[in-house]
Amino acid sequence: MLVMLGVGAHGATLHVGDMVLGLDRERRTNPGLAIKFSDTVWWGVLYPGIAPGTTLYVGDRWVGQNCSAGTYSPDGLATCIDCGVGHYCTGEMHRKTCTYGALACPGTHHETDGKLPNGAPINTRMKLADVEKYIPPTYIDQWQEITCCYTLHMDADYRWPETVNDVNNACASGVIGPGTYLFVTRYPGGDSSDLINGSDSLSGGPGKSSAYIAVFDHRVEYRSVNGNNIFHHFVDGAHFPYESYTVAFPDYDNIWANEIAVNVSGIDVTVSPRSLCVFELK
């Protein structure tokens, strides 16, 4: 294995085989890897355990990426990348979700967990004005799909709330939080008559769609109901496990919602023509 040191105007790097590992004048781990060059000591990080790939071992530790606070390396060997919206990174491989998701860390390069901004809504469905104020714009590939379901349950009826609380009448259910979540519903459009009350807010054609963002500071359980005149996500924010919904996406009384209260682009190229989907900010 070829090991070389490179020193340039922007710092020093350690070349181990095909990998390029950053060095720094600050020691970030104890113990650390010290390399002296022209009376200057450069430091590399040493991780315990078994490396996820081929790298240089020093005793029972291995040399990895030297990531500064606000960035991280997913496996300790890949290049350091931005911490990402709604997360904070103290350096190296560390990456955690902010206590209040994107509300606490509205951008990249966050070194510490932030605080909830005054007036920011949590544990509820955010209005578009809230999203534009507190949530940075994102593209759909910055969100991880938690579930997308399509099954129609005719026994679920909006006139009988107990049916929409029944997990057997939900096409998907699960546990989420804490974190920042995107709820998308897309109703299929049959023909041009579906355009009478406006075109689909995602596709522009026949049909109805909705999309909302919510930030939860605790674990919650949801139901995704695609039933008889019901196309909703229901979340129980007051109890765990799920007992009965306290938040509906969209509003429970607004069955045929056609509202995009998010600043997430690219949803229309990702979500199926008939679906109820839940995404989490990566």
Side-chain angles (χ1 to χ4, degrees):
M1 179 186 296
L2 181 64
V3 179
M4 299 177 60
L5 174 69
V7 180
H10 300 290
T13 54
L14 186 67
H15 299 253
V16 181
D18 296 330
M19 292 184 302
V20 179
L21 306 175
L23 302 176
D24 201 283
R25 295 185 183 183
E26 176 185 351
R27 184 172 70 178
R28 303 187 191 278
T29 60
N30 189 14
L33 177 67
I35 301 177
K36 189 173 183 178
F37 180 80
S38 298
D39 295 325
T40 299
V41 176
W42 297 93
W43 292 93
V45 300
L46 292 176
Y47 291 116
I50 300 175
T54 303
T55 186
L56 177 66
Y57 273 85
V58 180
D60 60 352
R61 293 175 179 260
W62 50 279
V63 183
Q65 286 292 3
N66 194 350
C67 300
S68 60
T71 67
Y72 77 108
S73 173
D75 60 4
L77 295 178
T79 303
C80 303
I81 58 178
D82 288 343
C83 195
V85 177
H87 299 81
Y88 68 101
C89 301
T90 59
E92 316 322 334
M93 290 189 291
H94 175 272
R95 187 176 190 256
K96 295 291 185 182
T97 301
C98 295
T99 302
Y100 297 103
L103 295 182
C105 294
T108 57
H109 296 295
H110 281 269
E111 302 177 14
T112 59
D113 193 359
K115 297 181 179 179
L116 178 69
N118 291 331
I122 61 171
N123 306 320
T124 188
R125 182 171 49 87
M126 298 180 71
K127 298 178 180 179
L128 181 58
D130 297 323
V131 171
E132 292 174 341
K133 182 176 181 179
Y134 296 111
I135 306 295
T138 54
Y139 191 76
I140 190 62
D141 63 5
Q142 293 175 261
W143 299 77
Q144 177 183 353
E145 181 184 306
I146 302 299
T147 186
C148 272
C149 63
Y150 318 96
T151 306
L152 186 66
H153 291 273
M154 297 306 295
D155 291 334
D157 193 319
Y158 71 96
R159 295 168 295 182
W160 309 105
E162 63 273 15
T163 67
V164 299
N165 287 328
D166 185 351
V167 67
N168 295 315
N169 278 334
C171 60
S173 63
V175 177
I176 56 176
T180 304
Y181 295 88
L182 168 66
F183 297 85
V184 179
T185 62
R186 170 165 277 185
Y187 318 151
D191 51 46
S192 59
S193 64
D194 290 312
L195 296 172
I196 295 175
N197 295 318
S199 60
D200 184 296
S201 54
L202 280 177
S203 70
K208 299 289 182 290
S209 296
S210 68
Y212 303 93
I213 289 177
V215 175
F216 296 102
D217 66 351
H218 61 284
R219 297 176 75 203
V220 297
E221 191 171 359
Y222 68 91
R223 305 273 194 265
S224 296
V225 178
N226 185 358
N228 182 19
N229 290 328
I230 286 283
F231 299 86
H232 286 274
H233 299 286
F234 296 101
V235 178
D236 190 341
H239 314 95
F240 187 85
Y242 189 104
E243 293 182 10
S244 182
Y245 71 90
T246 60
V247 186
F249 303 84
D251 279 336
Y252 180 64
D253 294 330
N254 188 10
I255 298 170
W256 296 105
N258 192 31
E259 179 182 16
I260 304 301
V262 301
N263 54 0
V264 183
S265 56
I267 300 176
D268 55 314
V269 299
T270 302
V271 181
S272 166
R274 180 198 292 254
S275 59
L276 295 97
C277 298
V278 181
F279 300 86
E280 180 180 8
L281 191 62
K282 290 182 180 179

